[in-house]
Amino acid sequence: MLHPIESRAIRPVAAAPQPASSQLRAQPQPQAHDDDNPWHTGAACCRDEAGLFFAPSKEPTAARLAREEQAKRVCARCPVLLECREHALAQPEPYGVWGGLTAAERRVVLARRRRRDVELREAARVPAARRIAG
């Protein structure tokens, strides 16, 4: 199975100047993208094997965990990590490592977001009900 962004052409991404201190770590920042330059053109995984991001059938657990950790290390240095993650959550992508998260980790994030949305809707409804009753 090919990673959807594996077959895309890569355009060089201009690197931002780094601070002089080696103590500071660069945090991923959302990149500006348009139809001519979609987010995945700068993805770090375009340069790696697709097999790193997707499990072969009947993969032993230890091998899967090691492969996923290796894929997450690629994701950690990716300039479009956040865009990739949001894409995988919005689709939702059922397989593979996307945006530094496995499919199981993405399911947890989606469940938390659904719970948060329900709580926010309920919290917004309660003050309105109190105004009507009062």
Side-chain angles (χ1 to χ4, degrees), residues 48-97:
D48 292 290
E49 291 184 33
L52 184 62
F53 296 90
F54 291 94
S57 61
K58 299 181 182 179
E59 181 179 34
T61 302
R64 178 182 54 82
L65 293 173
R67 180 188 47 75
E68 288 174 346
E69 283 306 311
Q70 189 176 358
K72 288 178 178 186
R73 284 194 296 276
V74 172
C75 292
R77 63 175 160 72
C78 185
V80 294
L81 177 127
L82 298 176
E83 290 89 339
C84 182
R85 180 176 294 172
E86 287 306 316
H87 163 82
L89 292 168
Q91 286 306 311
E93 292 289 350
Y95 306 106
V97 175

Side-chain angles (χ1 to χ4, degrees), residues 3 16 40 45 65 76 107:
H3 194 287
H40 49 74
C45 61
L65 293 173
R107 286 191 294 273

